[in-house]
Amino acid sequence: MTTPHEHMPGSDVAAGTERRKPRIPTCANPIWQGAIRQPAVAGTFYPADSDALRGIIDRQLDYARTLLDHHNNLLSRLPEGAPKAVIAPHAGYVYSGTTAALAYSLLARGRGQIRRAVIIGPTHRVPVYGTACCTAGSWHTPLGTVPLDTEAECAALDADTPGFIVNDDTHRREHAVEVHIPWIQRVLGPQTSIIPLNAGDTTPGELGALIDRFWTDPATVVIISSDLSHYHPEHVARQLDDDTIARIAGGILPIVPDYACGAYPINGLIDVCRRRGLTIRPLGCSTSGDGGVLALADSGLPMRRPDMADPDQAVVGYASFAVWEGDNDGDGEDRENDGDCEHSGHAVRNADSRARNTVNACTDPQNQQESLPQEAAEVLPRLARAALARYCGIDSDGPTAAETSEIHPWLKHDGACFVTLHEQGDLRGCIGSLEPTRPLGEDVACHTVDAACHDPRFRPVEPWEYPAISIEVSVLSPKRALPVTSRAQLEASLVPRHDGLVIDDGRGHQATFLPQVWDQLPHPHDFVGHLLSKAGLRADTTWNDARFAAWTYTVSAYDEKGIQDTRIGTSETDAEAAGAAAPDTANAADTDATGKERNHHA
């Protein structure tokens, strides 16, 4: 590493002490020591020509400023001055630039005062454990060369900051940090130094502690680089992103990489904001299918989005947020989450209230199940039976699955379901989806076939087994995020016989149980333990560091034995309806012995 500019923040030690010579870590690749990191994505993610690059940044900044001026309701509610931290996307400028411009138009207020930017992005190419700096002395873009504050990096390394490492390979071709540097050059000026960091597999507390080292400098801004959902149909992506935006704004840990590729950096910022009592304010959002048109957070969440050009187009989601120093959400107390402490629970409940209100306003947890007509009790099992017959090559006098959808138009509305097959009381297959991505009728038909031939636990169903197969269709409500930070809180928040549960540790371990599984596992501790096992983890895994995300949902379950219609949100439970069920602790359980639909409400 090379010594940074004399006047950069972090370059001077306490008064009266000798200036410390930066340490080059022994693990550094010598060819990178003090080198200039050349642009990796100029000409793809942003223009390689300097004039064209300045032009697109200026146009997008003008658009953002004009939008804010015309929606004074948002601008008037934001604190004065430049934010201390922002979250902004890192896709190609033509897709996400206007969303990023919202955050940078506010950072422009700090030009001349902000002299260092700590940029933290995810790793798309070379994964790492921890958070990695590099040994370059400066970074180059078409707008010029930006110096790194290597002295501050070395100070953090010398202090053995947990999870802070050196890894040049992860920085060589990574775009998540690089795309923000031209914005910094144009908005904050050439005098601003940077600390580029790639965050891999790390905990919110570890990354939060690293951010804290730089946070205390009043001339430093923290820039978190993240997109949201990736390559879902636009109508699905908007729902997923609205949920994630609400979780971030509510300070609910953890955000998982499936819903934000910069989940680890975001979690570190949430950790800092929770402990400092600071509010994360949404600014605006869009998708790559919106043509750069933004939805503003001028009337709360969810944001009022423009009409979709193509609801089925696969898109990437974007959002920007800002955090101001001293901008707390009410009580101003230290909200560090350490499990069972009283103030931590208070913070979690407040966050849950904010997120639940915004998510429910967007997705209406009753709309998917309560919108089903009473005839669904007969139609859905019959549709699944037709799909199974077609798969087995069995002649059937009834309508095909496609014909059934034509007869009943409500089957053409998007829905998510699980289809469970039993053979003489034993589980024979169960597959489904947690998010609605296609018409309900198509989802039921496809998952019936999937359960028959694609469940990896079982051999494919043979035609001779067809008469002995019974079918259950479970239609899912939208998921609701649980703001829990420990296993104890998760277990205490569950409603047995009503809640389906999804867990995700953000590291590739995800699993779900339908509410029917409560019949075999009636105690929350056992329910969670078996679900952890299903996810590939130890059943006795415990945590107090918010490293698991959790969601609940409800189902309306229909089988072929006769259905009694019930609705979500009623005050009654059906604990007395527990009947004989198949011993399935991997996916779903059978309905009760009388064949009634179970009312698994939240």
Side-chain angles (χ1 to χ4, degrees):
M1 291 185 180
T2 57
T3 303
H5 191 280
E6 292 281 343
H7 302 294
M8 289 175 195
S11 61
D12 297 326
V13 293
T17 62
E18 184 178 355
R19 181 185 175 99
R20 182 171 56 83
K21 183 178 180 180
R23 176 175 65 86
I24 298 176
T26 57
C27 59
N29 185 335
I31 67 170
W32 270 68
Q33 293 176 9
I36 299 175
R37 195 271 197 184
Q38 296 296 327
V41 294
T44 54
F45 280 70
Y46 58 85
D49 178 79
S50 59
D51 290 337
L53 180 54
R54 278 188 289 266
I56 190 171
I57 290 175
D58 290 348
R59 287 193 300 273
Q60 291 176 335
L61 285 171
D62 287 343
Y63 171 77
R65 291 170 180 139
T66 301
L67 205 62
L68 288 171
D69 288 341
H70 289 172
H71 293 77
N72 194 52
N73 187 36
L74 172 62
L75 199 58
S76 64
R77 290 189 285 111
L78 298 178
E80 296 181 355
K84 181 65 179 178
V86 298
I87 302 173
H90 54 238
Y93 284 17
V94 296
Y95 299 108
S96 68
T98 52
T99 307
L102 272 180
Y104 281 102
S105 67
L106 297 171
L107 282 180
R109 299 172 176 179
R111 187 182 179 98
Q113 286 77 48
I114 297 174
R115 298 191 299 276
R116 182 175 69 180
V118 178
I119 318 159
I120 312 175
T123 60
H124 290 91
R125 294 177 178 270
V126 179
V128 295
Y129 287 99
T131 302
C133 66
C134 67
T135 58
S138 58
W139 280 38
H140 185 73
T141 80
L143 299 185
T145 300
V146 180
L148 270 68
D149 189 348
T150 54
E151 181 110 4
E153 291 177 340
C154 286
L157 290 167
D158 286 339
D160 293 326
T161 305
F164 191 38
I165 63 171
V166 178
N167 188 307
D168 286 324
D169 289 339
T170 193
H171 282 277
R172 290 182 193 274
R173 303 295 299 171
E174 179 58 56
H175 66 273
V177 168
E178 180 183 324
V179 298
H180 287 280
I181 297 176
W183 287 99
I184 293 168
Q185 293 172 292
R186 190 66 176 156
V187 170
L188 298 178
Q191 79 285 355
T192 306
S193 66
I194 62 171
I195 297 180
L197 303 174
N198 285 359
D201 194 347
T202 185
T203 67
E206 283 183 348
L207 187 50
L210 178 60
I211 294 174
D212 258 335
R213 289 192 59 89
F214 308 119
W215 189 280
T216 53
D217 177 12
T220 294
V221 65
V222 175
I223 298 170
I224 303 297
S225 175
S226 182
D227 298 336
L228 297 182
S229 65
H230 282 58
Y231 307 121
H232 295 281
E234 172 121 9
H235 69 281
V236 175
R238 289 187 176 192
Q239 292 186 7
L240 296 177
D241 292 347
D242 286 344
D243 185 21
T244 303
I245 290 167
R247 287 180 63 89
I248 295 172
I252 300 174
L253 285 170
I255 307 302
V256 296
D258 282 350
Y259 299 128
C261 59
Y264 292 123
I266 291 172
N267 290 338
L269 179 63
I270 291 176
D271 176 79
V272 171
C273 292
R274 287 173 69 112
R275 287 186 284 104
R276 292 177 174 269
L278 301 178
T279 302
I280 303 177
R281 293 183 178 267
L283 301 175
C285 66
S286 68
T287 74
S288 56
D290 293 338
V293 178
L294 293 179
L296 283 188
D298 59 340
S299 58
L301 299 180
M303 301 179 216
R304 294 176 295 188
R305 295 177 181 262
D307 293 338
M308 289 179 274
D310 180 0
D312 295 321
Q313 177 187 0
V315 298
V316 177
Y318 316 116
S320 58
F321 302 79
V323 178
W324 277 264
E325 194 75 275
D327 179 28
N328 62 57
D329 58 0
D331 51 25
E333 64 183 337
D334 178 8
R335 297 190 298 161
E336 181 174 5
N337 173 31
D338 55 3
D340 298 326
C341 66
E342 182 176 349
H343 67 260
S344 172
H346 176 71
V348 167
R349 287 191 297 272
N350 285 347
D352 181 35
S353 175
R354 289 193 299 272
R356 187 179 305 178
N357 287 341
T358 55
V359 173
N360 284 357
C362 167
T363 59
D364 185 3
Q366 300 185 25
N367 66 2
Q368 187 170 323
Q369 293 165 296
E370 284 204 26
S371 62
L372 295 180
Q374 201 160 10
E375 64 179 357
E378 297 179 1
V379 171
L380 291 176
R382 189 169 65 241
L383 186 155
R385 173 62 63 179
L388 181 62
R390 182 178 179 84
Y391 163 74
C392 292
I394 305 296
D395 291 334
S396 174
D397 295 333
T400 65
E403 291 169 342
T404 301
S405 293
E406 289 299 323
I407 298 170
H408 304 282
W410 52 269
L411 288 171
K412 297 181 180 181
H413 299 159
D414 284 358
C417 76
F418 272 72
V419 176
T420 306
L421 307 181
H422 287 89
E423 185 173 4
Q424 297 180 348
D426 293 329
L427 181 70
R428 193 62 179 84
C430 181
I431 287 182
S433 53
L434 293 169
E435 306 288 350
T437 60
R438 55 189 171 188
L440 178 59
E442 181 182 345
D443 205 54
V444 171
C446 290
H447 287 322
T448 301
V449 175
D450 289 339
C453 63
H454 292 147
D455 190 325
R457 297 166 298 171
F458 304 99
R459 59 175 174 79
V461 171
E462 300 287 350
W464 59 265
E465 297 176 273
Y466 174 82
I469 298 292
S470 63
I471 305 174
E472 180 184 64
V473 178
S474 299
V475 182
L476 277 62
S477 74
K479 296 184 300 181
R480 180 177 67 86
L482 290 178
V484 295
T485 56
S486 69
R487 176 167 177 169
Q489 288 180 343
L490 173 59
E491 292 173 359
S493 70
L494 296 176
V495 182
R497 297 189 179 277
H498 301 104
D499 288 346
L501 178 62
V502 184
I503 58 171
D504 190 329
D505 71 348
R507 303 177 185 185
H509 300 102
Q510 184 187 64
T512 187
F513 273 160
L514 296 179
Q516 293 94 315
V517 178
W518 288 105
D519 286 347
Q520 287 75 52
L521 302 168
H523 192 280
H525 185 74
D526 296 333
F527 190 87
V528 173
H530 279 75
L531 186 55
L532 289 167
S533 295
K534 182 184 175 185
L537 301 168
R538 290 172 55 94
D540 59 357
T541 300
T542 60
W543 62 92
N544 289 286
D545 56 1
R547 59 190 172 98
F548 275 86
W551 298 264
T552 59
Y553 58 88
T554 62
V555 305
S556 289
Y558 306 93
D559 68 11
E560 298 175 297
K561 303 174 185 177
I563 308 297
Q564 174 179 315
D565 184 50
T566 55
R567 293 297 181 188
I568 294 181
T570 62
S571 60
E572 302 175 12
T573 67
D574 63 340
E576 71 277 10
D584 171 28
T585 59
N587 281 277
D590 201 357
T591 53
D592 61 289
T594 62
K596 293 181 179 179
E597 176 196 3
R598 300 247 174 102
N599 176 25
H600 303 290
H601 60 79

